[in-house]
Amino acid sequence: NAGVTQTPKFRVLKTGQSMTLLCAQDMNHEYMYWYRQDPGMGLRLIHYSVGEGTTAKGEVPDGYNVSRLKKQNFLLGLESAAPSQTSVYFCASSFIAQGAGINTQYFGPGTRLTVL
Amino acid sequence: DAKTTQPPSMDCAEGRAANLPCNHSTISGNEYVYWYRQIHSQGPQYIIHGLKNNETNEMASLIITEDRKSSTLILPHATLRDTAVYYCIAPNTGTASKLTFGTGTRLQVTL
């Protein structure tokens, strides 16, 4: 049981390049999330998904797109990378349960992205 | 989400109990209190959550005051590996609840 995995671990892009970050979970969770964390700051939600085929905007969605074609995968795309998108990106997943279960999120190890 | 307030930093000697406070005076009746931690450069890790009653698991204990306006996370025997940033969160329980991570408390465990 690998939990939440992220690919790649590190990446350097030039301004204007595109890339896709992959998040995979093997816990059969319905909900998945993408966050970014800038140095010295807390995590901010970019996009999230409540199930296969659905996505929704979070706190800082501009410049990113997402897709959830399979329940276990959640992709984050940068169409035209900008230096302001230099950050650490974390994916998380959670299950639907009675009461508070929905907020028990499990995080991946992160992807460190630098845009030059 | 209820606003939470935590001290920016704390120190604890290894082997001693670490008591991390959190104020959430605006919490509503159906909002749980969650604690996560983030060890340097790693993804956040769920620790524990509670509503009214005190809770304990293999990682920590959570003490919630009777009026629910504050709580304390207790690491009973802190080790160097517990050095991390600890986040107290009181999210609005609804569909696709989103965690709002503030700046948390940076706990430094020392020899």
Side-chain angles (χ1 to χ4, degrees), chain B residues 28-111:
Chain B
S28 64
N30 64 345
E31 289 176 342
Y32 284 71
V33 178
Y34 282 77
W35 284 83
Y36 284 75
R37 72 180 182 183
Q38 187 173 24
I39 297 171
H40 181 63
S41 299
Q42 298 180 20
Q45 177 188 25
Y46 165 78
I47 302 173
I48 198 168
H49 71 276
L51 183 63
K52 294 181 182 178
N53 301 320
N54 298 337
E55 302 287 345
T56 296
N57 64 20
E58 65 277 6
M59 290 183 68
S61 294
L62 175 60
I63 309 297
I64 303 174
T65 57
E66 192 169 342
D67 63 7
R68 301 210 328 118
K69 292 184 176 182
S70 66
S71 60
T72 301
L73 178 74
I74 301 173
L75 307 178
H77 305 287
T79 70
L80 296 177
R81 288 176 292 184
D82 292 321
T83 293
V85 178
Y86 288 77
Y87 297 97
C88 168
I89 305 169
N92 191 327
T93 51
T95 58
S97 294
K98 301 164 285 258
L99 300 180
T100 301
F101 288 80
T103 52
T105 296
R106 183 171 297 277
L107 175 68
Q108 180 69 51
V109 181
T110 57
L111 291 170

Side-chain angles (χ1 to χ4, degrees), chain A residues 31 33 45 48-50 102-103 105, chain B residues 92 94-99:
Chain A
Y31 287 50
Y33 311 80
L45 183 66
Y48 64 97
S49 167
V50 303
I102 196 171
N103 288 305
Q105 295 186 14
Chain B
N92 191 327
T95 58
S97 294
K98 301 164 285 258
L99 300 180

